[in-house]
Amino acid sequence: MRTRTKPLLRVWEWQAEAACRGMDSSVFFSPAGERGRARLRREEAARAVCGSCPVSGPCGRFALTSQQSYGVWGGFTEAERRSTVRVNRK
């Protein structure tokens, strides 16, 4: 019998090359109550990391396909991912 699933390592292997590997996750995920300029500054810092990352494409696709609700993934914020999902559903 053939299976359509990929070996687990292949699903995650892109992370080994991620520019954010080993970084503090607080750069990518907002603390409770974060708003306004503080949120924008944190998101800009996260985007800067993603901008130099060789696997930002796979990271962003992973976030969309796995419906990640929080954080900056592949340079895309939570709001941008929600917007993309809404556009694709129409």
Side-chain angles (χ1 to χ4, degrees), residues 2 14-16 18 27 30 40 45 47-48 52 65 77 89:
R2 293 183 72 134
W14 58 269
Q15 289 185 343
V27 174
S30 66
L40 290 175
R47 286 178 196 262
S52 66
T65 58
T77 65
R89 286 185 181 165

Side-chain angles (χ1 to χ4, degrees), residues 15-90:
Q15 289 185 343
E17 303 299 320
C20 64
R21 186 175 174 95
M23 289 184 72
D24 189 325
S25 63
S26 67
V27 174
F28 302 93
F29 296 92
S30 66
E34 181 188 56
R35 291 186 172 74
R37 290 180 196 222
R39 184 178 191 106
L40 290 175
R41 280 193 300 271
R42 184 191 47 76
E43 289 176 345
E44 286 175 9
R47 286 178 196 262
V49 173
C50 296
S52 66
C53 183
V55 293
S56 61
C59 179
R61 285 189 295 278
F62 167 79
L64 283 170
T65 58
S66 63
Q67 300 176 350
Q68 296 296 314
S69 300
Y70 302 102
V72 175
W73 291 79
F76 295 97
T77 65
E78 302 156 14
E80 291 167 333
R81 289 194 308 278
R82 281 192 301 271
S83 177
T84 299
V85 169
R86 279 194 297 269
V87 167
N88 289 333
R89 286 185 181 165
K90 289 181 179 181

